[in-house]
Amino acid sequence: MNTKQLRQKILDLAIRGQLVPQDSSDEPASVLLEKIRAEKQTLIEQKKIKKDKKSSYITCDLSPYQKYTEHFADGSSKDITDEIPFDIPENWAWCRLGEITMINPKNNIEDNKEVSFIPMTLISDGFSNKHSYEVRLWGDVKKGFTHFQEGDIGIAKITPCFENRKSVIFSNLVNEVGAGTTELHVLRPFAYSEIKKYIYWFINTESFIQRGISHFSGAVGQQRVGKDILENTLFPLPPLSEQRRIVEKIEELLTLVDDLETNKTDLQSYINQAKSKVLEMAVRGELVPQNPDDEPASALLERIKKEQKSSKFKGKNTEHNTHYEEELPFDIPENWVWCRLGEVCEIIMGQSPKSENISKKGKLEFHQGKIFFTSKYIQSSESYTNEITKIAPKNSVLICVRAPVGEVNITNRKLCIGRGLCSIVPLQEMSEIFVYYWTKILKEKFIQKATGSTFASISIDIIRNEIIPLPPLSEQHRIVEKIEEIFSALEFIEESLI
């Protein structure tokens, strides 16, 4: 789960009543709704708002099952059970967003008053709940712009700002009043202003965003969410006390997610360092314990030497410089041995076919460099050839011998390789995965030894004569298992940061 998904999950749990525990002593949400309706009626009587002929309220009958009925101002009603998107706690209540908020209200102040002016560019996206503003006179912005005041909730109605969650609770406005882009819907909660925070997080949920997208109207590229979509959105209303606990928990958890994202680069660096440390411990015999019952690495090396002297390898440069005592960089366990890479692997340098013999059809898949390299196994190429030059056998390790020098991958199929690649073929029972990790460790050495003015490259002699510490075969398998166990855990963390 990445940080974006984590935020979405937190909000999803919040609106379902699963983020904080319910408290039986909380005043039920149904009482809160009655207070909101009473305030609306007072405002209507004071002629501050007009009576909504389309107003409605929702009731729930718990017997014999949960049945939801919506009652309208004209006395009619309908069963909306099938519209309810999910279950909520008993002391919560379903309502329409238009029942608890005024949508797109108007301000009425003197023209010479300074106010905050907020175009779309000054509203942050994501989950930041931030905005800045310019200072204007009310007389200059009261017409042709959207009105709002301190504590109102603004939400972008046009694509892609809507999907990008350009939404905000307006705060610290000049004279507590503002105007701004016409591409905003403004929500002003009735009765209790603190409801605004819970509403703000609700309109940032993935379910709300997806509902808005499904009801977009207008020309492509200029699609918008209509006011009626907001008014008719089903809203899961918790008791006021629980709203406070939910908002507090959301903000606490999202701060942790923000910290994780802020430190993502540092964490990625730590992960890379950890992987390097694991490989360093592996080559020194410090990653897994030695087993005195393991066949010594010297016996494995003798078997490999016999194999190399067979007719199969005749004429394939099997002679190596075996004098390397002065080159040994560190101590290794007693049952390990030092050797050269070419002593335990067959080294096959690539050779490119003629360009006219490379196409999208042919006998064998062709690769020239690291273009199709991944984190471990090479991807398929679209290039093939009938001119079979040099073959990298199945389950061999591929290394880039031209810039970028030292990049490594494994092939799980037979390939034709060009001059940019070299195949390292494990001998005897040695695993290609073990050789893959061992070769990755050599990358920096190969880079240092690369030569060439036009582009850096390394020769077969450099690869073949690189000294390596060889563990017993049984320990090799334990090392690979431990490396992959640790790398898997680290990669899980990496994926969660994407």
Side-chain angles (χ1 to χ4, degrees):
M1 184 180 293
N2 58 37
T3 50
K4 179 181 178 181
Q5 292 170 331
L6 188 55
R7 288 189 182 94
Q8 292 168 357
K9 184 63 175 178
I10 290 168
L11 297 186
D12 183 62
L13 291 172
I15 65 169
R16 292 171 182 264
Q18 298 171 6
L19 191 65
V20 299
Q22 279 73 54
D23 186 337
S24 57
S25 65
D26 286 343
E27 183 180 74
S30 57
V31 177
L32 175 59
L33 275 175
E34 288 299 327
K35 292 178 179 178
I36 291 173
R37 290 170 191 147
E39 178 178 324
K40 288 174 67 175
Q41 184 58 38
T42 299
L43 293 174
I44 290 169
E45 291 170 358
Q46 293 174 349
K47 297 183 179 181
K48 292 182 178 180
I49 63 172
K50 294 180 180 180
K51 185 175 182 178
D52 184 2
K53 296 180 181 180
K54 297 180 181 180
S55 65
S56 67
Y57 65 94
I58 298 169
T59 59
C60 178
D61 182 2
L62 297 177
S63 59
Y65 60 92
Q66 282 191 329
K67 177 183 177 182
Y68 290 90
T69 304
E70 186 166 14
H71 307 269
F72 299 95
D74 62 3
S76 63
S77 64
K78 71 172 181 177
D79 184 349
I80 63 165
T81 305
D82 291 341
E83 291 184 45
I84 301 299
F86 47 81
D87 293 332
I88 55 175
E90 286 186 12
N91 59 348
W92 288 37
W94 283 104
C95 60
R96 301 283 183 186
L97 194 53
E99 183 180 357
I100 61 172
T101 63
M102 285 185 279
I103 301 179
N104 300 333
K106 294 294 184 182
N107 296 331
N108 184 18
I109 63 171
E110 298 172 0
D111 287 357
N112 62 355
K113 286 275 190 180
E114 287 188 337
V115 300
S116 295
F117 180 74
I118 305 179
M120 188 70 80
T121 53
L122 298 186
I123 299 175
S124 300
D125 57 13
F127 302 83
S128 62
N129 189 20
K130 293 180 180 178
H131 68 78
S132 54
Y133 60 79
E134 302 166 2
V135 179
R136 302 278 184 89
L137 291 176
W138 181 248
D140 295 333
V141 297
K142 68 178 182 180
K143 294 183 179 179
F145 295 103
T146 301
H147 293 192
F148 45 80
Q149 68 182 31
E150 192 81 7
D152 286 352
I153 304 159
I155 176 171
K157 61 184 177 182
I158 190 169
T159 184
C161 298
F162 177 79
E163 300 98 303
N164 292 340
R165 292 174 169 80
K166 271 189 174 284
S167 56
V168 70
I169 299 174
F170 293 108
S171 61
N172 299 314
L173 300 177
V174 177
N175 287 313
E176 298 191 341
V177 175
T181 170
T182 58
E183 298 297 353
L184 281 180
H185 284 308
V186 173
L187 309 179
R188 182 174 297 170
F190 289 109
Y192 295 91
S193 62
E194 60 188 308
I195 294 178
K196 63 180 178 285
K197 290 186 177 180
Y198 178 74
I199 294 175
Y200 170 78
W201 291 119
F202 172 79
I203 64 173
N204 279 282
T205 61
E206 186 65 14
S207 57
F208 176 83
I209 297 296
Q210 290 304 318
R211 181 176 186 273
I213 291 171
S214 69
H215 288 84
F216 270 157
S217 60
V220 175
Q222 291 289 308
Q223 292 185 308
R224 296 173 174 84
V225 177
K227 177 184 175 183
D228 60 320
I229 303 303
L230 292 187
E231 288 176 328
N232 292 314
T233 296
L234 283 165
F235 184 81
L237 182 70
L240 195 59
S241 296
E242 187 171 349
Q243 285 185 41
R244 298 185 188 113
R245 298 195 298 273
I246 289 172
V247 168
E248 183 178 352
K249 180 58 69 173
I250 287 173
E251 294 177 350
E252 174 190 337
L253 294 175
L254 292 188
T255 297
L256 293 176
V257 177
D258 289 342
D259 289 343
L260 177 62
E261 201 164 57
T262 300
N263 295 319
K264 178 178 176 180
T265 302
D266 290 341
L267 186 54
Q268 183 67 64
S269 176
Y270 294 147
I271 289 171
N272 292 338
Q273 291 175 27
K275 286 185 174 182
S276 297
K277 184 62 176 178
V278 167
L279 294 181
E280 181 185 343
M281 293 175 66
V283 300
R284 292 174 177 266
E286 299 170 354
L287 190 63
V288 298
Q290 280 74 50
N291 185 342
D293 295 329
D294 287 344
E295 178 191 66
S298 56
L300 171 62
L301 184 58
E302 285 303 314
R303 287 202 306 275
I304 293 174
K305 287 180 178 179
K306 287 180 181 179
E307 181 178 356
Q308 285 198 323
K309 289 178 181 179
S310 69
S311 58
K312 175 182 177 182
F313 293 97
K314 190 173 182 180
K316 292 193 176 181
N317 292 315
T318 57
E319 294 299 323
H320 311 286
N321 176 9
T322 57
H323 301 288
Y324 39 66
E325 285 76 8
E326 295 181 359
E327 301 177 44
L328 303 183
F330 49 80
D331 294 332
I332 55 175
E334 288 184 8
N335 57 350
W336 289 35
V337 294
W338 285 101
C339 63
R340 297 200 183 273
L341 189 59
E343 290 184 82
V344 292
C345 297
E346 180 187 2
I347 312 297
I348 303 170
M349 294 294 284
Q351 181 180 335
S352 300
K354 295 177 182 177
S355 59
E356 60 265 27
N357 292 329
I358 301 173
S359 66
K360 292 187 177 182
K361 294 181 180 180
K363 291 181 180 179
L364 195 61
E365 187 179 340
F366 172 71
H367 285 263
Q368 176 71 303
K370 69 156 283 184
I371 185 170
F372 295 104
F373 277 21
T374 61
S375 59
K376 184 186 274 188
Y377 290 96
I378 194 168
Q379 293 179 328
S380 297
S381 164
E382 295 182 353
S383 298
Y384 289 81
T385 182
N386 289 321
E387 183 188 348
I388 311 302
T389 50
K390 293 291 184 176
I391 293 176
K394 179 181 178 180
N395 299 332
S396 64
V397 174
L398 300 176
I399 180 170
C400 287
V401 294
R402 294 186 174 190
V405 168
E407 296 293 331
V408 183
N409 244 206
I410 301 172
T411 177
N412 54 11
R413 58 199 181 277
K414 185 167 69 173
L415 304 173
C416 178
I417 55 173
R419 284 177 292 180
L421 295 176
C422 167
S423 172
I424 301 174
V425 187
L427 300 178
Q428 286 290 315
E429 301 93 343
M430 285 178 59
S431 158
E432 73 278 6
I433 300 176
F434 172 78
V435 175
Y436 163 74
Y437 285 123
W438 243 234
T439 311
K440 280 177 73 72
I441 298 167
L442 300 173
K443 178 179 176 179
E444 291 305 317
K445 286 188 177 181
F446 289 147
I447 291 174
Q448 291 172 8
K449 294 179 180 181
T451 58
S453 55
T454 306
F455 51 81
S457 64
I458 52 174
S459 66
I460 188 171
D461 287 336
I462 289 175
I463 297 171
R464 188 172 55 234
N465 287 307
E466 189 61 51
I467 59 169
I468 62 168
L470 184 70
L473 193 59
S474 297
E475 188 171 345
Q476 290 180 26
H477 294 306
R478 296 196 299 273
I479 289 171
V480 167
E481 185 178 353
K482 179 56 71 173
I483 289 173
E484 303 218 313
E485 175 189 335
I486 298 171
F487 277 23
S488 177
L490 293 173
E491 285 159 8
F492 177 79
I493 296 173
E494 281 184 301
E495 290 170 4
S496 73
L497 298 178
I498 298 174

